[in-house]
Amino acid sequence: MCGIVGFTGVEQAAPILLRNLQKLEYRGYDSAGIAVECDGKIVSARAVGKLVNLIEQTEDGKTITGTCGIGHTRWATHGSPSENNAHPHMSNNNKFAVVHNGIIENYIALRAELTELGYQFQSETDTEVVAHLLEYYDNGDMKATVMKTVSRLQGSYALGIVCSDHPGELYAVKNQSPLILGVGINEFFFSSDVTALITHTRNVIYLDDGEFAHITKEGIQIYDEFGKEIQKKISRIDWSLEDAEKGGYDHFMLKEIMEQPKALKSAVEPRIINNVINLSEMGLSDDDLKKIDNIIITACGSAYHAGVVGGYVIEDLCHIPVRVEVASELRYRNPPMNERSLLVVISQSGETADTIAALKLAKESGIKTLAIVNVVDSTISKLADGVLYTNAGPEIAVATTKGYTTQVAVISLFAVYLSKLTGKISDEYYSELVADIKSLPERCQRVIDLNTKVEKLAKQYYNNQSLFFIGRNIDYAVSLEASLKLKEISYIHSEAYAAGELKHGTIALIEPNRLVIALACYEKTFDKTMSNIKEVKARGAKVLGVAQEDNKRIISEVDSTLFIPQITPILMPIIETVPMQLFAYYVARENGCDIDKPKNLAKSVTVE
Ligand code: G6P
């Protein structure tokens, strides 16, 4: 939610800031702005709408000169997406400019206090208080001014600050929002995410909460919250540049769908050694795991849907109760947990505010926690007792694809590991499951090869304005994700329904030509789902049936079919979701939607 960047060096700052902001647009894209220090003055430009508007307004940054500046791409929280509310925000004396990602929770009180002191507010944002506090506390010593200002703030913030009295200098402050420093040669950067840095440098420093940095073109000094200088390790980013580029695809989403075999390989292959699952990297011991007799899984959005699949799989294999709850609900529910509980959080970004809050709640209760996360060194990965990285590589499209399938792969791997450890499955079944897990990349490629067929189906059905996804058991879990994918990028209304629940009310909405996508890949419930298909067909629905390739019986009952390769049932969700991602993609494309940047969304949701 919102991306911030900063640059100081010898080159012109504005074009670099704009290019780096482009890499962060997935974090928010309703307005953008930059501020550059030049000859003792701050010059800023802001524009409503996607970044391209700011790029046009500043002629690709050429109209703003100066070698030190900050930038922001916004997802509105406080105040509409207007130019006045766009960052950077300026102090009244125009000396300080500030960009911010996060929420200043005590901004109302601070705003009242500063208004009383005579400061004029130009925006409705929470951020503007920071600019005025900087002016208020300014005593010529920038470090002291920043520290005094930050001491007044409550909430989450990654801040970038530039001041006209301190040419060539940037300050970057981190508390509960991501902030990474880029270390180049005679040029230094900060950013909300490494994707904006890798075109410039692979050497980065991850700031921790409470830390702040003073950045000049000569170098970086980092301080702890008490102002004591500290040394931090420089990490090397091993993502390739191509990972963060479209690589010839029209959209990041399509590229990321196609990358799933590779991503699944990275998620599972290093963890299977001589046909045995090895999770020794996890940070939770076998003794810890053996004590577990109940699991709570929590996450948001698609990661929650991955958790729903995980719930079915763990219960099936480990025979222990699993509760799956969205994090925004769990955190306010006082859920029963005891010393034998394990909380599993799932998150692509590792920065989702509600998921972090639920994780902290569990930690306060003293229970063991495990995070399944993609972004290395993210907040969630650092907070949890154990971590399993999904190794999906950078995911740029707002609608997650490889992020989700790798989450499901990793939680399934964990379930198989736990079931073996606790003696719940036979050696034969274990070997069968391990072999099938190893085959996931190849089977995923086979569903990707259905691309042309799915594209045709999408062309046939793209103008339906409301539809249902139905399924039972893990097919139902997949239908939740299939429906969300379609909604978020094509804006078409759809609902995921447990097929058996239809007749308890929702069937009233089935009318002639209503499209129903019936997921019938789970063998155990295939016949039951077939009955539900008949029920909706009897009321005139058009049905697209999705089934395993040997279940040809479905053909006579539906209008169109999509057959997918067979795999052991508990791994089916990974294979089954891929054509649903492609379907959503092509439907959105037929409808002319902005696929990588759907309206109102942001990829990383760092606010409640
Ligand atoms: C946003 C994204 C979703 C994602 C969810 C959780 O809503 O658009 O794709 O599933 O946040 O994000 P996380 O980073 O925690 O997986």
Side-chain angles (χ1 to χ4, degrees), residues 184-342:
I185 298 166
N186 294 331
E187 55 176 20
F188 295 86
F189 308 82
F190 66 76
S191 167
S192 303
D193 183 346
V194 292
T195 48
L197 301 175
I198 49 176
T199 42
H200 307 283
T201 177
R202 293 181 167 278
N203 296 327
V204 300
I205 298 172
Y206 293 93
L207 286 187
D208 285 309
D209 287 345
E211 294 173 352
F212 64 100
H214 172 225
I215 309 168
T216 66
K217 72 174 163 37
E218 278 78 41
I220 298 180
Q221 282 101 45
I222 301 169
Y223 302 97
D224 68 12
E225 60 189 304
F226 308 106
K228 183 170 161 280
E229 188 167 352
I230 51 172
Q231 299 304 319
K232 302 270 298 183
K233 120 176 163 250
I234 297 183
S235 308
R236 200 76 199 140
I237 307 169
D238 56 10
W239 289 351
S240 72
L241 201 54
E242 299 77 63
D243 285 341
E245 305 285 346
K246 276 193 212 151
Y249 288 98
D250 288 344
H251 297 97
F252 277 110
M253 183 178 177
L254 188 59
K255 173 181 175 247
E256 288 159 6
I257 290 173
M258 299 300 175
E259 279 173 351
Q260 288 177 106
K262 181 175 148 221
L264 286 166
K265 195 166 182 216
S266 309
V268 299
E269 209 175 72
R271 292 169 172 145
I272 300 179
I273 301 168
N274 297 328
N275 297 321
V276 175
I277 300 172
N278 183 325
L279 300 182
S280 52
E281 69 194 279
M282 183 167 41
L284 293 176
S285 69
D286 285 354
D287 284 344
D288 289 334
L289 293 179
K290 278 182 192 158
K291 287 188 203 127
I292 303 301
D293 73 358
N294 69 95
I295 293 181
I296 302 162
I297 303 176
T298 195
C300 301
S302 296
Y304 163 72
H305 294 157
V308 175
V309 175
Y312 279 103
V313 175
I314 296 172
E315 276 189 359
D316 189 65
L317 293 179
C318 307
H319 313 301
I320 56 173
V322 185
R323 169 178 180 173
V324 190
E325 186 91 63
V326 286
S328 54
E329 286 298 313
L330 188 79
R331 61 182 291 192
Y332 294 115
R333 284 194 64 161
N334 192 16
M337 301 185 214
N338 57 44
E339 67 283 359
R340 301 193 66 185
S341 308
L342 173 71

Side-chain angles (χ1 to χ4, degrees), residues 33 82 90 119 213 244 264 300 318 328 402 424 444-445 451 524:
S82 65
M90 303 290 297
Y119 288 91
L264 286 166
C300 301
C318 307
S328 54
K402 62 176 182 171
K424 301 283 176 45
C444 180
Q445 188 55 54
N451 189 22
K524 257 195 207 162

